[in-house]
Amino acid sequence: MTVQTAKPHKRFEWDRFFAWFGITLVILLSIFPIWIVLKTALSSSTTLFEGASRILPSEPTLDNFKRVLGMVSAEEALKAGGSGQSVNFLKAIKNSVVFTGLIVLGQTFFSALAAYAFARLKFPFRDQIFTLFLSAMMIPGIVLFIPNFITIKNLGWLNTMQGMVAPYILMTPFAVFFLRQFFLSIPRETEEAALLDGASPFMIFWKIVLPMSQGPLATLGILTTIGMWNEFFWPYLIGKDEGVYTLPVALQQFQTQTPQGSPDWTGLMAGAFLSIIPVFILLVVMGKRVIESLAFSGGK
Amino acid sequence: MNPSEATPEPTVFRTVNRSVRQEAITGLLFVLPAFIGFVLFYLYPAIRGLWISFTDWNMLREPTFVGFENYLQVFQDEKFWNALWITFKYVLLNIPIQTLLGILLAVAMDRVVKSTVIRGLMILPYLLSNVLVALVFLWLLDPSLGIVNAGLQALGLPKQDFFVSTDQALPTVAFVNIWRHAGFTALLFYAGLQSIPRSVYEAAKIDGASENQTFWRITLPLLRPVTVFVAVTSIIGSFQIFDTVAVATNGGPADATKVLVYYIYENGFAFFKMGYATAMSMVLFAILIIFTLLQLKFFRADQSDLA
């Protein structure tokens, strides 16, 4: 009996061809809209209409970027097709950085502290509290958003940064669960020597456990950064004042501010491109890590 | 796994310089900030939400207790059923295509290319906010100026209305989300493929299995836990779609994209019917619990597949 192992060498491998074809197509489809964003952002609103079907902007200009960053006067912006009462994107970028930064730092730190206690320290009701934390992962956002909105309103924190970061800055059940899993996997011997030397639990946590956990902390940090940078619903509910708009809210508001007729596409796309840049940098600088983190987020 | 049964505490943790009491205090202090966050923004709102759902409340005057009236109203509200039906249609349009595309892409990548750069390019859409993606597609699909219609016309095809057509709006929203998620789904399946031992494939090859047979008899069954997980989590996510609708269509045209969460949002924050909106969010919660339970069931059943 002969087992046929290899196909004749010269034959064209259709399956490989289709695999490459599919991958190439998907990548082109992924990049194309982003290219159109940039192209539109670089077009002047007057040449935009004739150049809709062209691949390159007909007369490249940086005016739209200057406009959305508030570097031109309201009258000039109006002339360029803007709404005149344009959203301040520079402020929105700052707000997004503060909003995301505070949450990533706070949530990671406080969740790590709690996760360490759940993994290593004994205290009353430890396991019950942890189970309660876990069960909260099932509650859909909308169920919590409505009562949380009322809490923030009663605190007088509407339209403030503290109102926007409050629900996220101290913990998420996922962050605690994820870090606890990792801390459980650290062998106890690593901490025992320090314990014998009389180090406090916080020093052990701070000087030994955290430095050992850079990988999981980075994974969590990346997932939180992406999630919060793109979060819309909550900042939209709480931050109705232009001074606290984050980028997604600013973009949405900029679109709805459009005077009658067609939206200010060139300005909008300039704003859109600005909000892509940080994500793009994250991907270029930490590509592998980002991919691994995302693959993990969907794993078990 | 019960955490208390994991490993016995080594004696040093209890005796050296530290009493049980001290450890308990330290543990409680460590958990305190997270616990405050949990109580204020998870536990309390969940309980309060349940309470609000039994009241009539417009946020201006005190809530009045109405028992199950909101829930009865929910089930008699045609617009609620319409919103649920639209959400359901959206999930049906979205999930099968997204999952199938994800598997195909992952298998294709597994065969011909393992590059990080290519995976990075494919997940780029997933890294963009829903708001941004919705805006970009509003522009691309604009009925009069959009490049897609320019392209269609160049090919001699009729222009399409996309977001502004009652028939096309919902499929367009679904398509936009497929665009955002396909690469990410592929990444998850790709990770799943990597966990299948190569020896299984080699054995199949020696037994004379064709590519096709290998895919249907080995790859797909071994991917089942990943598939169940991806399908269920994306269904749960899709049931909560809001951002794309809020930016691209505002539920229109003629309610064609008024999905459940958008309808809840509208009742709560436009009509200030807090009790009614919360009751509907509880109904959504109940629906999602069913999917979570299904997932747990299928997941457990599948855990032994690779062992």
Side-chain angles (χ1 to χ4, degrees):
Chain A
M1 279 242 267
T2 49
V3 181
Q4 213 178 347
T5 45
K7 294 171 188 164
H9 269 297
K10 286 280 156 125
R11 225 177 95 189
F12 186 72
E13 291 184 70
W14 280 104
D15 45 350
R16 284 184 71 83
F17 170 77
F18 280 123
W20 270 117
F21 181 76
I23 292 167
T24 315
L25 191 69
V26 167
I27 287 174
L28 285 178
L29 283 174
S30 298
I31 301 171
F32 178 73
I34 295 164
W35 169 248
I36 296 299
V37 172
L38 182 59
K39 182 211 135 184
T40 311
L42 292 172
S43 304
S44 72
S45 51
T46 40
T47 58
L48 183 67
F49 304 102
E50 50 212 73
S53 56
R54 286 198 210 115
I55 283 298
L56 290 171
S58 25
E59 286 161 39
T61 164
L62 286 175
D63 285 354
N64 300 307
F65 287 101
K66 286 186 191 152
R67 197 150 57 84
V68 295
L69 288 173
M71 287 154 74
V72 293
S73 69
E75 296 84 63
E76 281 175 79
L78 210 70
K79 237 192 281 166
S83 57
Q85 43 168 329
S86 81
V87 170
N88 187 346
F89 274 89
L90 205 57
K91 180 77 180 151
I93 292 169
K94 276 187 211 154
N95 287 337
S96 264
V97 170
V98 172
F99 175 73
T100 309
L102 282 176
I103 290 171
V104 170
L105 290 177
Q107 190 188 99
T108 310
F109 177 72
F110 293 122
S111 297
L113 259 185
Y116 184 71
F118 283 127
R120 281 292 200 262
L121 303 171
K122 287 210 154 177
F123 54 90
F125 301 114
R126 181 183 75 173
D127 302 338
Q128 289 86 339
I129 297 173
F130 183 68
T131 311
L132 209 60
F133 271 41
L134 282 192
S135 50
M137 280 206 262
M138 295 212 317
I139 309 173
I142 188 75
V143 169
L144 301 173
F145 280 144
I146 296 175
N148 278 344
F149 172 82
I150 295 159
T151 302
I152 297 298
K153 187 172 178 283
N154 290 343
L155 285 168
W157 285 0
L158 285 185
N159 297 320
T160 65
M161 189 55 82
Q162 67 262 36
M164 279 156 58
V165 300
Y168 303 103
I169 198 163
L170 291 175
M171 63 99 64
T172 66
F174 172 78
V176 175
F177 167 72
F178 169 62
L179 290 174
R180 176 179 169 273
Q181 288 302 103
F182 179 78
F183 294 153
L184 281 175
S185 74
I186 301 176
R188 280 178 186 276
E189 291 76 45
T190 44
E191 296 142 270
E192 272 170 21
L195 248 182
L196 286 168
D197 286 344
S200 72
F202 185 78
M203 279 329 265
I204 294 173
F205 168 75
W206 187 250
K207 289 260 167 85
I208 300 173
V209 176
L210 280 193
M212 283 181 73
S213 317
Q214 281 170 14
L217 290 174
T219 295
L220 198 62
I222 287 170
L223 292 177
T224 314
T225 304
I226 296 169
M228 288 298 120
W229 187 259
N230 293 332
E231 174 65 27
F232 174 66
F233 202 123
W234 182 251
Y236 174 69
L237 283 187
I238 299 302
K240 290 287 184 193
D241 185 81
E242 203 195 324
V244 289
Y245 284 169
T246 58
L247 268 170
V249 181
L251 279 172
Q252 191 267 354
Q253 294 293 330
F254 189 67
Q255 185 221 353
T256 52
Q257 271 185 10
T258 302
Q260 60 273 41
S262 156
D264 170 13
W265 287 117
T266 55
L268 203 51
M269 290 301 122
F273 192 76
L274 288 176
S275 82
I276 299 179
I277 293 173
V279 169
F280 204 72
I281 293 173
L282 185 75
L283 195 58
V284 169
V285 175
M286 305 185 74
K288 214 166 172 194
R289 189 109 244 173
V290 173
I291 291 166
E292 281 164 7
S293 304
L294 284 175
F296 170 83
S297 77
K300 310 160 204 182
Chain B
M1 190 174 60
N2 188 341
S4 63
E5 290 169 3
T7 39
E9 299 281 333
T11 41
V12 274
F13 270 82
R14 249 179 282 144
T15 50
V16 180
N17 286 338
R18 187 155 291 111
S19 70
V20 176
R21 218 176 104 88
Q22 257 179 315
E23 188 180 315
I25 291 168
T26 314
L28 287 170
L29 280 178
F30 274 27
V31 172
L32 190 65
F35 188 69
I36 292 172
F38 175 76
V39 170
L40 280 182
F41 296 106
Y42 287 87
L43 191 63
Y44 171 66
I47 296 166
R48 190 170 189 198
L50 193 63
W51 157 248
I52 296 171
S53 77
F54 290 112
T55 65
D56 181 17
W57 189 31
N58 64 4
M59 287 211 289
L60 295 173
R61 42 173 181 71
E62 287 299 300
T64 44
F65 186 80
V66 294
F68 282 95
E69 204 174 282
N70 286 323
Y71 289 92
L72 289 174
Q73 202 190 328
V74 168
F75 292 113
Q76 287 162 5
D77 180 357
E78 263 177 50
K79 286 197 163 186
F80 167 80
W81 289 109
N82 187 47
L84 188 61
W85 172 235
I86 287 170
T87 311
F88 197 66
K89 272 200 288 189
Y90 167 76
V91 173
L92 275 183
L93 283 167
N94 193 11
I95 303 304
I97 300 176
Q98 188 183 306
T99 313
L100 194 70
L101 258 178
I103 293 183
L104 286 176
L105 267 173
V107 171
M109 276 196 293
D110 191 50
R111 282 222 57 190
V112 296
V113 58
K114 315 249 179 229
S115 147
T116 315
V117 177
I118 289 193
R119 267 178 290 158
L121 288 173
M122 289 210 324
I123 55 155
L124 188 56
Y126 183 76
L127 300 178
L128 309 177
S129 70
N130 283 316
V131 173
L132 178 86
V133 169
L135 285 177
V136 170
F137 277 92
L138 265 181
W139 170 225
L140 292 172
L141 304 175
D142 188 277
S144 50
L145 300 168
I147 192 162
V148 172
N149 269 320
L152 285 177
Q153 283 189 308
L155 294 170
L157 296 166
K159 277 188 168 191
Q160 303 296 322
D161 285 336
F162 299 110
F163 284 121
V164 281
S165 137
T166 41
D167 295 333
Q168 291 176 6
L170 191 69
T172 307
V173 172
F175 165 79
V176 167
N177 282 278
I178 291 169
W179 178 82
R180 183 166 177 263
H181 283 96
F184 174 64
T185 313
L187 180 76
L188 301 184
F189 280 116
Y190 182 83
L193 284 174
Q194 301 312 301
S195 71
I196 300 175
R198 296 285 126 169
S199 58
V200 178
Y201 288 118
E202 277 152 31
K205 213 170 184 181
I206 291 168
D207 289 345
S210 70
E211 286 286 343
N212 247 328
Q213 284 173 321
T214 313
F215 177 75
W216 290 105
R217 302 258 176 89
I218 295 170
T219 313
L220 218 50
L222 287 181
L223 273 181
R224 213 168 63 195
V226 187
T227 314
V228 170
F229 181 84
V230 171
V232 173
T233 47
S234 41
I235 287 171
I236 291 174
S238 301
F239 261 98
Q240 301 179 66
I241 181 179
F242 173 80
D243 300 1
T244 316
V245 169
V247 175
T249 65
N250 282 312
D255 287 358
T257 59
K258 196 166 277 176
V259 289
L260 200 48
V261 173
Y262 194 84
Y263 188 54
I264 296 173
Y265 162 80
E266 208 177 55
N267 271 280
F269 297 98
F271 311 147
F272 300 108
K273 293 201 242 168
M274 283 300 172
Y276 192 53
T278 320
M280 283 194 287
S281 76
M282 290 295 167
V283 175
L284 174 66
F285 188 16
I287 295 171
L288 296 184
I289 283 181
I290 295 170
F291 283 103
T292 310
L293 292 178
L294 280 177
Q295 183 203 342
L296 284 176
K297 189 172 173 249
F298 281 115
F299 236 161
R300 287 228 180 94
D302 280 11
Q303 260 168 2
S304 60
D305 273 18
L306 257 174

